Amino acid sequence: MSQPLLKDDLDIVIPTIRSLDFLEMWRPIFEPYHLIIIQDGDPNKEIKVPEGFDYELYNRNDINRILGPKASCISFKDSACRCFGFLISKKKYIFTIDDDCFVAKDPSGKDINVLAQHIQNLLTPSTPFFFNTLYDPFREGTDFVRGYPFSMREGVPTALSHGLWLNIPDYDAPTQLVKPLERNTSSNRYVDAVMTIPKGTLFPMCGMNLAFNRELVGPAMYFHLMGDGQPVGRYDDMFCGWCVKVVCDHLNLGVKTGLPYLWHSKASNPFVNLKKEFKGIYWQEEMIPFFQGVILPKDCTTAEACYIELSKQVKEKLSSIDPYFEKLGDAMVTWIEAWQEYNPPLVAKTTDGPVVVRKGGDEPTPKTK
Ligand SMILES: O=c1ccn([C@@H]2O[C@H](COP(=O)(O)OP(=O)(O)O[C@H]3O[C@@H](CO)[C@H](O)[C@H]3O)[C@@H](O)[C@H]2O)c(=O)[nH]1
Ligand SMILES: [Mn+2]
């Protein structure tokens, strides 16, 4: 029996403030993998993990214990807390999913294996420099079209795979309010395509069905400060997406969007969402031109170096919008410090042989197995 793809190289990160019963439906696909569950909200609440899953579970007390003062960069009472799982994972790949997402069926009625498709997306190159009109040329049954430069057909490594959603689409509150009954169904809105987002183009990254290569872009996968005590919500994944796309463009890494679909079951309350989002809706009109104009120095050759540079520019150029960005720039630095503590490059290759460049932090002690 063949091993599930990347079984020992991929962690599944789930933020939850509700319940993990949804895992029952995913059991055939997720059970072979290690789960990192980030329990948000009241740490004294008991969250039941269905039998048979291999997991570590962290609540707010654990995050505070493990990170100490650096825990200030991890959001509380917001799905942005999921990035703590990205930080303490030891695996090369991450898949993150919300607890109201289920297995979707493709138009033929077949269950969609989101992990298999994300892994396929991540393990095949991206083509950010020249658009292929038959979309992802590395998929079965398709290829580069006539006129596609052969010098560009090797593509670049793929850093991030952004999946989509049937049933409840990820709309902002105003759109949700004017289209409360709109549903994506496999008959009318299933688009059978994976495409590379071209270099120089930003995109609205949603965190509910997302996979990425931690070794390539982990340090840039910080879900920004939201939730308790913050002036904005539901922009954690958006801010992160703009940062990581700028970093990928600079490092010539690829970002893909499209398949796989999952079934998003619950529409969150549009009035609550409007309150969370409203500042983000007008801030983004200034943020997008900022991110479109970001230039990173040539000597930024890693996601970590790019991110530190980005944090400086966020503070310098966005704080005029709102003091929040001053705090955000600092939180981005704290995130990198925490990342370095838990993900030290243990060995640097030098002409004199391997040298330990930085001692790793203690292993975080998860709450349960
Ligand atoms: O305080 C909280 C609220 C929620 N969670 C967990 O986060 C995910 C998403 O929650 P939910 O499904 O209620 O929110 P949506 O509006 O559908 O999510 C979209 O908006 C983004 C919010 O930034 C999110 O990434 C998108 O998917 C669930 O697992 C909740 O249990 C939480 O941990 N803390
Ligand atoms: Mn949801």
Side-chain angles (χ1 to χ4, degrees):
M1 159 90 153
S2 64
Q3 281 268 70
L5 276 172
L6 299 182
K7 172 179 171 308
D8 300 322
D9 298 303
L10 181 142
D11 278 342
I12 298 175
V13 175
I14 305 165
T16 187
I17 197 162
R18 297 182 285 224
S19 126
L20 294 169
D21 295 349
F22 84 116
L23 284 173
E24 275 316 331
M25 189 177 195
W26 290 106
R27 188 180 289 277
I29 299 173
F30 289 0
E31 196 164 36
Y33 295 87
H34 181 66
L35 309 182
I36 299 180
I37 298 158
I38 312 298
Q39 176 189 337
D40 195 15
D42 179 3
N44 301 312
K45 184 181 158 200
E46 187 70 23
I47 292 249
K48 276 236 157 307
V49 183
E51 280 302 311
F53 285 97
D54 173 60
Y55 70 92
E56 48 198 291
L57 184 144
Y58 297 94
N59 64 27
R60 192 66 205 187
N61 293 339
D62 298 317
I63 294 171
N64 292 338
R65 172 173 48 77
I66 291 163
L67 293 186
K70 295 194 186 76
S72 61
C73 76
I74 303 295
S75 300
F76 181 56
K77 295 246 177 86
D78 189 279
S79 62
C81 63
R82 76 176 84 217
C83 63
F84 180 73
F86 306 164
L87 177 82
I88 43 96
S89 166
K90 292 287 166 256
K91 303 288 175 53
K92 181 171 180 180
Y93 300 98
I94 294 283
F95 167 61
T96 186
I97 184 171
D98 290 0
D99 64 10
D100 61 346
C101 293
F102 295 85
V103 179
K105 291 188 182 303
D106 69 19
S108 72
K110 191 165 157 281
D111 282 356
I112 296 169
N113 181 334
V114 290
L115 274 187
Q117 182 65 53
H118 276 303
I119 291 170
Q120 159 82 12
N121 292 350
L122 289 171
L123 296 187
T124 52
S126 292
T127 55
F129 308 124
F130 199 90
F131 189 77
N132 189 50
T133 46
L134 270 182
Y135 310 115
D136 184 347
F138 299 101
R139 282 187 73 202
E140 263 317 288
T142 183
D143 211 317
F144 290 100
V145 293
R146 178 170 55 88
Y148 200 99
F150 282 87
S151 60
M152 294 187 181
R153 295 195 181 196
E154 196 180 347
V156 298
T158 301
L160 191 133
S161 171
H162 179 261
L164 299 172
W165 340 275
L166 291 180
N167 191 39
I168 308 285
D170 185 22
Y171 284 163
D172 50 52
T175 308
Q176 247 186 306
L177 284 165
V178 294
K179 305 176 97 173
L181 304 179
E182 186 141 296
R183 296 291 178 270
N184 276 1
T185 61
S186 54
S187 50
N188 73 355
R189 289 296 310 139
Y190 182 96
V191 178
D192 182 7
V194 176
M195 57 189 91
T196 298
I197 300 174
K199 179 168 182 161
T201 301
L202 297 174
F203 76 112
M205 185 176 83
C206 170
M208 86 170 102
N209 175 11
L210 188 67
F212 62 91
N213 180 322
R214 264 180 95 254
E215 288 179 2
L216 292 177
V217 290
M221 288 304 288
Y222 174 48
F223 276 39
H224 291 163
L225 268 184
M226 301 280 134
D228 209 30
Q230 305 305 332
V232 67
R234 289 170 52 82
Y235 269 83
D236 49 314
D237 40 7
M238 298 296 146
F239 288 179
C240 175
W242 299 330
C243 289
V244 76
K245 186 60 169 61
V246 164
V247 170
C248 285
D249 286 352
H250 178 76
L251 298 178
N252 288 336
L253 297 171
V255 174
K256 287 179 182 173
T257 188
L259 301 180
Y261 281 89
L262 47 61
W263 180 269
H264 183 209
S265 69
K266 236 178 70 33
S268 37
N269 182 308
F271 295 101
V272 171
N273 289 348
L274 189 56
K275 265 195 347 222
K276 290 182 180 178
E277 288 171 13
F278 84 93
K279 285 196 171 178
I281 291 176
Y282 65 82
W283 285 352
Q284 70 186 10
E285 297 304 336
E286 291 189 60
M287 293 186 73
I288 299 300
F290 159 73
F291 280 106
Q292 287 169 328
V294 166
I295 294 171
L296 295 172
K298 273 208 173 24
D299 62 359
C300 288
T301 55
T302 63
E304 198 172 299
C306 291
Y307 205 75
I308 290 171
E309 175 57 30
L310 253 184
S311 70
K312 289 178 195 149
Q313 296 191 33
V314 162
K315 278 185 83 166
E316 256 160 55
K317 299 183 180 161
L318 293 180
S319 297
S320 55
I321 300 177
D322 188 282
Y324 168 77
F325 292 98
E326 188 80 23
K327 185 165 59 166
L328 179 60
D330 293 338
M332 290 165 75
V333 173
T334 306
W335 161 261
I336 289 292
E337 288 167 352
W339 185 276
Q340 288 169 339
E341 190 177 334
Y342 284 94
N343 298 280
L346 287 182
V347 174
K349 292 185 183 51
T350 71
T351 43
D352 315 328
V355 171
V356 174
V357 287
R358 204 173 19 216
K359 223 179 104 19
D362 299 331
E363 288 302 303
T365 44
K367 214 167 143 44
T368 32
K369 175 175 133 341

